Amino acid sequence: MVAWRMKSLIALLALSLPAIVLSTSCDPSTLNSTTYLYPITTPNTTVFDVAKATNRGVCDIGRQNLMADVTIVPNVGQTLLIPPETCEPDNETCLLPNTTRTRACINGGPRNYYTVNGDTYDIIARRLNITTESMTALAFGDVPAGPNDELAPGQFIKVPLCEPSHCVIQPYRFTWGVYKDLAEEFGTTVGQLMMLSPTYNYSSKAFLPGGEFPSMTILVNCTEGVGNETVLT
Ligand SMILES: *[C@@H]1O[C@H](CO)[C@@H](O)[C@H](O)[C@H]1NC(C)=O
Ligand SMILES: *[C@@H]1O[C@H](CO)[C@@H](O)[C@H](O)[C@H]1NC(C)=O
Ligand SMILES: *[C@@H]1O[C@H](CO)[C@@H](O)[C@H](O)[C@H]1NC(C)=O
Ligand SMILES: *[C@@H]1O[C@H](CO)[C@@H](O)[C@H](O)[C@H]1NC(C)=O
Ligand SMILES: *[C@@H]1O[C@H](CO)[C@@H](O)[C@H](O)[C@H]1NC(C)=O
Ligand SMILES: *[C@@H]1O[C@H](CO)[C@@H](O)[C@H](O)[C@H]1NC(C)=O
Ligand SMILES: *[C@@H]1O[C@H](CO)[C@@H](O)[C@H](O)[C@H]1NC(C)=O
Ligand SMILES: *[C@@H]1O[C@H](CO)[C@@H](O)[C@H](O)[C@H]1NC(C)=O
């Protein structure tokens, strides 16, 4: 009897402790738990603008809409599914860090990158985890632009490939997250996942009645081959 009381007391403490901690900074009962559709009506509205306007984390919106990348500027006419408010909006974990990149080419493939709104050679190189110079050097003939010049959306741009290298391609049903999450899980890059599904940006319908999770192909286990590396351009 005493032992049981002790146990339930401990359980009670364990349950109430996080609630006490949270209530000092954020009261969950004041949060708006509504999920609703937010239409993009003005050109150049970013997902960051939508996050600010709705008081949600940009990454929470990104994952709720199965976005390729939250830095892609939505088109007018698109709608985004706004998730419930949370005490800790996530504005960070879906963004690619600005790390020093050393590789000059990608493993495996594909060959061409299809530009989306807001792309620059620097942004594309970051999504592919290769140096910006390796993108501009290759692309100057095709689509001349400086590393930070905005590229028109809807054009194919060649990407340098490492030889030898390979990836395994396989079918995948995208049920949660952003491409960065998939890239980390499967050992590939956001840019290569974008190259595999060139017209996919996001899905606001997946979580609505009658919606479907997008089916796509992904790359897994991308690796350098054995032998001296050359860059195919
Ligand atoms: C939650 O947000 C929606 C959309 O902005 C709004 O229509 C609704 O009134 C809000 N609910 C509460 C309880 O504030
Ligand atoms: C949207 O951005 C593009 C490219 O940055 C620019 O050319 C255009 O003028 C902008 N449109 C508006 C309405 O701000
Ligand atoms: C994250 O974004 C939301 C909405 O834009 C904002 O209210 C919040 O202060 C931001 N949080 C952090 C830690 O930057
Ligand atoms: C990324 O980091 C480099 C070097 O630290 C810096 O020069 C560059 O401005 C940064 N780019 C962005 C977009 O923050
Ligand atoms: C994705 O965005 C690009 C421009 O950023 C656009 O060309 C393309 O049509 C979009 N795809 C869909 C399915 O909306
Ligand atoms: C980028 O490539 C380097 C090797 O050049 C690797 O160590 C790092 O984990 C990669 N980062 C991402 C985010 O893919
Ligand atoms: C990927 O690599 C891991 C570890 O080497 C292996 O267990 C797994 O079977 C590989 N997956 C595919 C699809 O080749
Ligand atoms: C790789 O490069 C080294 C040094 O340049 C060279 O000695 C070697 O023969 C090369 N190996 C192959 C398989 O080409």
Side-chain angles (χ1 to χ4, degrees), residues 32-34 36 56:
N32 188 325
S33 59
T34 312
Y36 61 100
R56 265 61 166 182

Side-chain angles (χ1 to χ4, degrees), residues 44-65:
N44 301 342
T45 304
T46 66
V47 183
F48 296 87
D49 295 333
V50 176
K52 200 170 279 175
T54 60
N55 195 37
R56 265 61 166 182
V58 73
C59 297
D60 301 323
I61 295 176
R63 292 193 169 102
Q64 182 71 72
N65 291 274

Side-chain angles (χ1 to χ4, degrees), residues 168-208:
V168 177
I169 188 167
Q170 67 182 32
Y172 186 72
R173 178 89 49 191
F174 191 15
T175 59
W176 187 247
V178 291
Y179 277 4
K180 176 171 178 278
D181 302 325
L182 305 185
E184 284 168 2
E185 182 175 353
F186 296 107
T188 182
T189 62
V190 169
Q192 284 166 282
L193 293 173
M194 290 176 65
M195 290 163 78
L196 277 175
S197 303
T199 62
Y200 180 84
N201 299 320
Y202 79 107
S203 171
S204 60
K205 296 198 178 74
F207 291 95
L208 294 177

Side-chain angles (χ1 to χ4, degrees), residues 62-120:
R63 292 193 169 102
Q64 182 71 72
N65 291 274
L66 306 172
M67 283 184 189
D69 188 332
V70 297
T71 65
I72 300 172
V73 181
N75 290 319
V76 169
Q78 291 186 351
T79 54
L80 300 181
L81 186 59
I82 305 302
E85 268 184 341
T86 66
C87 278
E88 289 171 23
D90 179 354
N91 302 326
E92 298 288 338
T93 64
C94 63
L95 303 179
L96 287 173
N98 184 14
T99 51
T100 308
R101 289 163 264 126
T102 54
R103 301 202 79 201
C105 49
I106 63 168
N107 286 333
R111 173 80 279 196
N112 291 304
Y113 176 95
Y114 188 68
T115 53
V116 295
N117 292 339
D119 274 355
T120 64

